Amino acid sequence: MSQRIPCTVITGFLGAGKTTLIQSLLTTNGGRRIALIVNEFGDIGVDGDLIRSCGIAGCSDDDVIELANGCICCTVADDFLPTLTKLLERRDPPDHIVIETSGLALPQPLLQAFAWPEVRTRVTIDGVITVVDAEALAAGRFAHDEGAVARQRAADENLDHDSALAELFEDQLSCADLVVLNKTDLIDETELVRAEDLVRSQKRAAAKIIRSGTQKPPADILLGLAIAAEEDLANRRSHHHDHDHDDGHDDHHHDDHHHDDHDHDAFETFIVPVAPLAEADEITRRVAALTTDSTVLRVKGTLAITGKPMRLVVQAVGPRVETHYDRPWRADETKDGHVVVICLAGADSAAMTRTLQGTAG
C-alpha cells in the first residue's frame, strides 16, 4: 500500500486569521504540491476566492476546492468525503491536503470522518491547527465584538449565544495539536501572556502554542507534524459529542451526524449584492456602520470600484474594517459586488442590507 497522504486541518473562530495563515503557508511550502479544501459558511466562498487569487505559484483553481453548502462538520457525508475521495483519485494526487474549516465548525466530526472506510487507508491527519485571535482573547473575548454579544444576551434571557461561542472555542482548542496565537503584534507582552494563559487552560496538554504576528510561521512548522490524530479521537472530546460517532467503524451510517448536534441555529449567513461604488472609502463607511450592530459577527466580500480595474476586498471583524485590491477583474467576469454577513440568529437582515447598499434612511 502506498504511503498515506497527510492532511492538516486548520480551524479557529471567525476572523482569527486562518486564510492569511494559509496564504503564508503556500508561499513557504518548500515545493510540496498542496491541495486546499475551503469550507465557507455561506453560499459564496469568499475565502476560497481570496486564496485562489493570491498569485502564488502552484495555487491553481484545480487545487482549491470549496465546500459552500453549509458547515463542514454537518455535511461530512454529502460534501467532504466525496471531495476528499476525488482528490485521492487524481492521477497526480497532492503531496499534502490542507482543510480550512468554517469558523463555526466543530473539528471532532471532521476528524471522525478520517476513520471511515472510504479514506482511512489512504490519508492521515498530520495535525489539527487552531488559530486564535490573541488581541480579542487578551481582552476576554473570542472575537472583537464579543462584548456586544454579551450585552445582547444580558438584554434577553432567552439567548444563550455567549455560552455557545464559549463551548465552540473550547472544542476547537481541545482538538488542537498546535495552537497559533495570532495577531500578537497588536498587544503588549502582559496582554500576550494573559492570552497564552487562557489558551493553556483550555488546550490539550500535548498541544503546543506558537506566537504569530506580522510574520507568519512557515510551512515547515505547520506541516509535517505526523500526529495521526485519527488514532487519538478519544482524547479530543467535544461539548457536543454524539455517541453515534464513538467508533467510526465500517457500520457507521452517513446520515448519523444530524445538523442539530450543536448550536448553528445561533448563527445566520446572508449575501448582499452591492453595485459598483465611486470610491473604496464608501464601503468602509457602510461596513463600519454595520458593525456597530451587536448581532454582526463577520463581514467580508468583493466589490467593484468605478474606473478601477482591480477587485476590492473588504473584511471586518468587530469594529476593525480592512480593504485592499487583490487582483484585476477577469475578462469573463461581470463586476458584481457582494458582501457576506455572518450574524447571530434573528438579526435584522433587511436593515443590514439597506446599510450595505447605501439606501438606509
Side-chain angles (χ1 to χ4, degrees), residues 193-324:
V193 170
R194 184 186 309 133
E196 283 185 336
D197 286 344
L198 288 168
V199 169
R200 195 170 288 111
S201 70
Q202 300 290 343
K203 74 176 185 66
R204 295 187 311 119
K208 306 297 183 183
I209 302 174
I210 61 173
R211 298 179 177 184
S212 173
T214 304
Q215 296 297 319
K216 302 303 177 187
D220 286 343
I221 292 178
L222 303 175
L223 306 183
L225 301 181
I227 299 293
E230 71 277 7
E231 306 294 339
D232 186 40
L233 296 179
N235 293 317
R236 300 165 190 261
R237 305 293 286 184
S238 167
H239 282 282
H240 308 275
H241 181 74
D242 189 310
H243 62 82
D244 286 341
H245 297 294
D246 280 347
D247 52 25
H249 293 313
D250 293 8
D251 60 351
H252 190 116
H253 298 294
H254 286 187
D255 60 355
D256 280 350
H257 180 68
H258 301 292
H259 191 276
D260 58 1
D261 281 351
H262 62 102
D263 297 330
H264 283 329
D265 288 344
F267 308 100
E268 291 180 354
T269 302
F270 63 93
I271 300 166
V272 178
V274 179
L277 302 172
E279 56 178 13
D281 288 347
E282 178 59 28
I283 194 61
T284 300
R285 288 190 290 269
R286 294 180 188 179
V287 172
L290 187 69
T291 58
T292 61
D293 188 318
S294 64
T295 64
V296 176
L297 297 172
R298 180 86 183 271
V299 180
K300 52 187 175 180
T302 55
L303 290 305
I305 305 300
T306 302
K308 297 286 187 180
M310 303 288 285
R311 192 179 68 163
L312 183 74
V313 174
V314 60
Q315 301 194 63
V317 180
R320 190 168 59 217
V321 181
E322 299 175 355
T323 61
H324 68 276

Side-chain angles (χ1 to χ4, degrees), residues 3 27 38 59 62 66 74-75 84 96 117-118 121 123 128 148 167 185 222 271 278 289 292 295 316 339:
Q3 185 177 4
T27 66
V38 181
C59 183
D62 289 340
E66 294 173 71
C74 297
T75 59
L84 185 60
H96 203 110
E118 295 94 323
T121 62
V123 295
V128 179
E167 290 181 1
D185 54 315
L222 303 175
I271 300 166
T292 61
T295 64
V339 175

Side-chain angles (χ1 to χ4, degrees), residues 11-12 107-108 128 130-132 137 142 166-181 195 198-205 207 209 235-237:
T11 187
Q108 288 83 353
V128 179
T130 297
V131 186
V132 175
L137 195 59
F142 308 122
E167 290 181 1
L168 174 58
F169 182 75
E170 291 172 13
D171 282 354
Q172 291 175 344
L173 285 179
S174 70
C175 208
D177 299 296
L178 179 67
V179 179
V180 176
L181 199 57
L198 288 168
V199 169
R200 195 170 288 111
S201 70
Q202 300 290 343
K203 74 176 185 66
R204 295 187 311 119
I209 302 174
N235 293 317
R236 300 165 190 261
R237 305 293 286 184

Side-chain angles (χ1 to χ4, degrees), residues 143-172:
H144 282 277
D145 58 358
E146 190 65 17
V149 174
R151 289 192 296 273
Q152 186 198 34
R153 181 180 186 277
D156 187 345
E157 294 183 357
N158 292 321
L159 293 176
D160 197 25
H161 301 129
D162 184 56
S163 296
L165 297 182
E167 290 181 1
L168 174 58
F169 182 75
E170 291 172 13
D171 282 354
Q172 291 175 344

Side-chain angles (χ1 to χ4, degrees), residues 339-353:
V339 175
V340 178
V341 179
I342 302 176
C343 58
L344 298 179
D348 189 344
S349 60
M352 294 179 188
T353 297

